[in-house]
Amino acid sequence: MNQQPNTVKRSLWQRPPKDETNRTSEYTNQTGLKKGSVDVPFLLITAALVLFGCVMIYSASFVFAQKHHNTSTYFIIRHVIFLMMAVLFTFVVVKYCTPRFWYDFSYIFYGISIVLLLLVLTPLGTDLNSGARRWIDLKVITLQPSELAKLALVLTLARFMTTHEKEVLSPHKFGGDFKYGVLFPGLMIAGVGGLVALEKHISALAIIGMLGISLMFLGGTRIKWIASLAGIIAVAACMLIIFFPYAFARVDTWLNIEEADPLGSAWQTLQGLMAIGSGGLFGKGLGNSQQKYGFVSQPQNDFIFTIICEEFGFIGAILVIGLFIAFVWRGFHIARHAPDKCSSLIVYGLTFKVALQVILNIAVVTNSMPNTGISLPFFSYGGTSLMLQILEVGIILSISRYASHKKI
C-alpha cells in the first residue's frame, strides 16, 4: 500500500508550497523581484474615500470652525495641508520602498512607538481638554503615538511570525508553538497595549488587541492559544471597565440610554442618532445638516458619519460603507498575492485595521456599542491619523508593485 507523504502544518496565508526552503530564504535575495505598477483599483478606491472625506470635513466643520476659529475653512485647510504632506511623502515610499525595507525596519518602528508612548506620560504629553493624556503637542502638529503604535505592531508581528515560522508551527510547546506563537507575540502586544492603557485610551487598546490576535492567527498560532489569549484580553477589558470610572460611566450610559441624562452623558449619542434618523433615504443635501449647528459637538471628528447620514441619507451611508468594503476586498486581494509571507501579513494587518475602525466607529455612532473615541478612516479630522492612514496605503501600494501575479 502506498503511504501518503508527511505534510507540514502551514499557516493560513500561504499558497501551495513551491519548495521547503529555509524560513528566511525569501529575504536573503529579493533582487530578482520584478517591480510593476501599483494596484490601480486599490489606488482609485482610496482616492474616492479621501476626496469624499475632504468634502465632508468641510461640510461638517464649517459651522464649528466659524464659531471657534473665526473662519469656516479652518479645518479643511489644515486637513488638505496634512493630506498633501502625506501624499508627497507616500509617493517616495511607493516609489522606493521594497518589501525588504518594511521587514528590516519593523523593529525600529516598534522601538520609536514605545518611546513616543512613554513621552506621552511625561510633561511633554497633553490631554487637549479631553481628560485623557494621549497626545504630544509639538505646536506645529499634535502627535497621537497610539496611532503609530498600531502600525508598528503590524510591521513587528509580521516580521516575527515570518522569521520564526518554523518554531510557530512546531509541535514542541515550550521550544516552539507556545514560546514563539504566543509568548513572544503576546509580549509585543502587551508592550504597546500596556502603555496605551495607561493613557486611558480603551478604544485604541481594543484595536491593538484585535490586530495582534488576527496577525498571530494568520501567522500560524494554534487556535487553542488564540482562544486562550482572547479570553485573557476579554477579562482584562472587563477589569478596565470596572476600575476606570470614565469607562464604566460610558458603558452604563450605553446600557441605560433611556434613563441617561439627555443633556449630559447621552447628549452626543442621542444627537448623532437624531442626525442619522433625520436623513431619511436621500438626505437633506450636502451642507444642509442641522445637527452640526452645535448639537453634535465637533462633528468633523468621530461623529462625522452621522453628518454623512443626515446630508446624504441611507443611500449616502451605503455608498460610504460600499467604498470601505471595496477597500478591504482589494487589500485582501493584494495580500493574497504578495511576494512573501511578511508582506502578506503586513497588508492583511493594515487592511484589517481600517476595517476594524470603520466597524467600531459606525457601531459607536449608531449606539451599538459604548461611546468611545474611534475615528472614521479618511473622514474624521486629525493630522496624525490622516497622515498615518495615507502612509499605510502607501505601504500596501508599495507591496502591490511586487505582486506575484498579473494585476486585474
Side-chain angles (χ1 to χ4, degrees), residues 244-267:
F244 282 85
Y246 87 99
F248 182 84
R250 290 190 175 186
V251 172
D252 183 64
T253 298
W254 172 60
L255 293 175
N256 303 284
I257 190 70
E258 296 84 0
E259 290 80 27
D261 183 3
L263 299 179
S265 61
W267 172 265

Side-chain angles (χ1 to χ4, degrees), residues 347-384:
V347 177
Y348 272 126
L350 295 180
T351 305
F352 184 59
K353 172 179 172 288
V354 171
L356 268 178
Q357 290 198 202
V358 172
I359 293 170
L360 295 178
N361 176 270
I362 295 177
V364 165
V365 301
T366 58
N367 200 37
S368 301
M369 65 175 286
N371 191 348
T372 185
I374 300 176
S375 62
L376 184 64
F378 309 115
F379 284 84
S380 296
Y381 175 78
T384 304

Side-chain angles (χ1 to χ4, degrees), residues 1-318:
M1 179 181 294
N2 293 329
Q3 293 183 339
Q4 294 295 328
N6 291 331
T7 58
V8 178
K9 179 181 179 291
R10 307 183 67 83
S11 50
L12 296 181
W13 80 278
Q14 292 171 294
R15 298 182 296 275
K18 298 175 182 177
D19 57 13
E20 293 298 334
T21 56
N22 184 283
R23 65 177 179 267
T24 59
S25 62
E26 58 192 353
Y27 287 104
T28 58
N29 181 15
Q30 288 200 341
T31 57
L33 287 178
K34 184 179 180 181
K35 181 190 294 186
S37 60
V38 299
D39 190 271
V40 175
F42 186 80
L43 177 61
L44 293 177
I45 294 166
T46 304
L49 286 167
V50 170
L51 292 176
F52 196 1
C54 288
V55 172
M56 290 312 304
I57 282 286
Y58 177 67
S59 180
S61 71
F62 70 79
V63 175
F64 184 86
Q66 183 66 52
K67 180 179 179 180
H68 295 274
H69 300 281
N70 299 316
T71 172
S72 62
T73 57
Y74 176 83
F75 290 104
I76 185 59
I77 288 176
R78 291 171 64 86
H79 183 82
V80 171
I81 291 173
F82 289 133
L83 177 61
M84 292 298 100
M85 292 169 56
V87 168
L88 288 175
F89 179 75
T90 300
F91 176 81
V92 177
V93 167
V94 174
K95 185 173 178 63
Y96 295 106
C97 291
T98 64
R100 179 61 188 256
F101 176 85
W102 306 116
Y103 179 90
D104 286 342
F105 287 90
S106 56
Y107 291 168
I108 295 176
F109 290 146
Y110 185 86
I112 292 173
S113 71
I114 291 292
V115 171
L116 291 176
L117 287 170
L118 288 170
L119 288 177
V120 172
L121 304 176
T122 72
L124 294 176
T126 181
D127 62 10
L128 294 184
N129 299 319
S130 68
R133 185 180 292 265
R134 301 173 183 173
W135 293 267
I136 299 175
D137 190 358
L138 301 178
K139 306 304 179 184
V140 178
I141 186 174
T142 303
L143 297 178
Q144 190 171 11
S146 59
E147 293 296 325
L148 178 62
K150 298 171 190 175
L151 169 60
L153 182 65
V154 169
L155 296 176
T156 301
L157 285 178
R159 173 174 175 174
F160 183 87
M161 302 302 284
T162 298
T163 305
H164 299 284
E165 179 183 12
K166 183 178 179 181
E167 290 88 349
V168 171
L169 301 179
S170 168
H172 302 291
K173 186 177 300 184
F174 296 105
D177 69 336
F178 176 78
K179 182 178 179 180
Y180 291 92
V182 181
L183 180 60
F184 288 158
L187 290 174
M188 294 174 187
I189 298 170
V192 294
L195 293 174
V196 169
L198 292 176
E199 298 175 6
K200 301 180 181 179
H201 200 174
I202 305 301
S203 59
L205 182 60
I207 292 173
I208 286 170
M210 287 185 280
L211 269 179
I213 288 179
S214 66
L215 283 168
M216 290 169 61
F217 173 73
L218 290 171
T221 299
R222 298 178 187 277
I223 296 295
K224 65 178 182 179
W225 299 126
I226 293 292
S228 300
L229 192 58
I232 293 172
I233 292 177
V235 171
C238 292
M239 298 296 289
L240 285 172
I241 292 172
I242 293 172
F243 291 105
F244 282 85
Y246 87 99
F248 182 84
R250 290 190 175 186
V251 172
D252 183 64
T253 298
W254 172 60
L255 293 175
N256 303 284
I257 190 70
E258 296 84 0
E259 290 80 27
D261 183 3
L263 299 179
S265 61
W267 172 265
Q268 182 85 326
T269 298
L270 292 175
Q271 295 303 319
L273 291 174
M274 190 176 296
I276 294 172
S278 64
L281 184 61
F282 297 104
K284 298 177 178 178
L286 179 62
N288 294 329
S289 164
Q290 297 300 310
Q291 296 303 107
K292 65 189 176 189
Y293 285 85
F295 297 100
V296 175
S297 61
Q298 300 197 38
Q300 70 279 358
N301 291 339
D302 300 342
F303 272 63
I304 195 170
F305 186 75
T306 65
I307 307 303
I308 295 173
C309 293
E310 186 179 6
E311 296 189 347
F312 290 95
F314 179 77
I315 299 299
I318 291 299

